[in-house]
Amino acid sequence: MRWMGMPIAIWAVFAKSFQAQLTAVLGYDPDTARKITEKAKPKYREIIAKLPEFEKGDRFSMNIIGCAMLGAFVLSMPRRPDVESLTDYYEKAQMTPLMKWFCRQSGKSKFTPKDIAGMKATAARKAADRNPYSWNMDFYEYPDGSGYEGRFTKCGICTLMQELGLYDLTPAMCHLDYAMSEAGGVTNFVRQYTLASGDPYCDCGYQKKRV
């Protein structure tokens, strides 16, 4: 994957937040947080360089870039965080005012014909059959019209976290789905299973909030 473009843009947008939460959540002093960030940037670039380019129209490239960035920070920390503290860290690092705005904008088109068509196209793509760092999903609309579910049978984050030796920390990334759904303002996110927990799939359910 090329460094110029989305990877460098994601770093520019989120690096300060990732650094700030090293102190606010994980308890590092500001100087150590700065050193971790300085070490994480070349590690992030190294991880990105090993990833293949995603197919045009694959909606999951940002997910794997976020995974690469979190992995780079964890591998640059002097002590390995537990999954609970990393979950809190990642949510607060990601849910910046800009990200919350993005989620609200995305929420405006949730459940529209264009959104449904996009989900069906993603399900049909089966991108992980050709790129192990992408995702395969099936799409199910709830019969009562209350929302839909994306059911993932292959997960690029699981693949990359395992390669980085961080697979046990994968649930810290999975939890962000709840925060993004809440920020969007129109859905309740529901989940019973995750691949990272050893289940056969990840179910990502989006139920319409009652007005």
Side-chain angles (χ1 to χ4, degrees), residues 87-177:
T87 298
D88 190 25
Y89 169 78
Y90 187 60
E91 178 177 335
K92 290 178 178 174
Q94 282 278 11
M95 297 308 292
T96 62
L98 179 61
M99 175 62 90
K100 291 177 181 178
W101 175 86
F102 174 80
C103 291
R104 288 193 299 270
Q105 296 305 114
S106 297
K108 293 177 181 179
S109 62
K110 203 73 171 174
F111 307 119
T112 62
K114 182 178 180 181
D115 176 48
I116 299 297
M119 293 295 290
K120 290 180 177 178
T122 297
R125 182 181 295 276
K126 303 295 182 189
D129 288 349
R130 299 170 298 281
N131 178 0
Y133 302 97
S134 190
W135 279 254
N136 279 1
M137 62 165 274
D138 296 310
F139 177 68
Y140 301 93
E141 293 186 75
Y142 297 146
D144 61 0
S146 63
Y148 60 65
E149 174 185 310
R151 187 173 296 179
F152 294 85
T153 53
K154 291 184 179 180
C155 167
I157 285 174
C158 289
T159 301
L160 182 56
M161 290 293 273
Q162 192 157 21
E163 289 182 1
L164 297 176
L166 303 174
Y167 190 69
D168 59 304
L169 299 177
T170 304
M173 297 201 68
C174 303
H175 184 77
L176 192 68
D177 291 326

Side-chain angles (χ1 to χ4, degrees), residues 187-205:
T187 62
N188 292 314
F189 184 80
V190 293
R191 171 182 282 149
Q192 289 183 289
Y193 308 106
T194 64
L195 290 166
S197 299
D199 297 314
Y201 56 81
C202 297
D203 52 332
C204 298

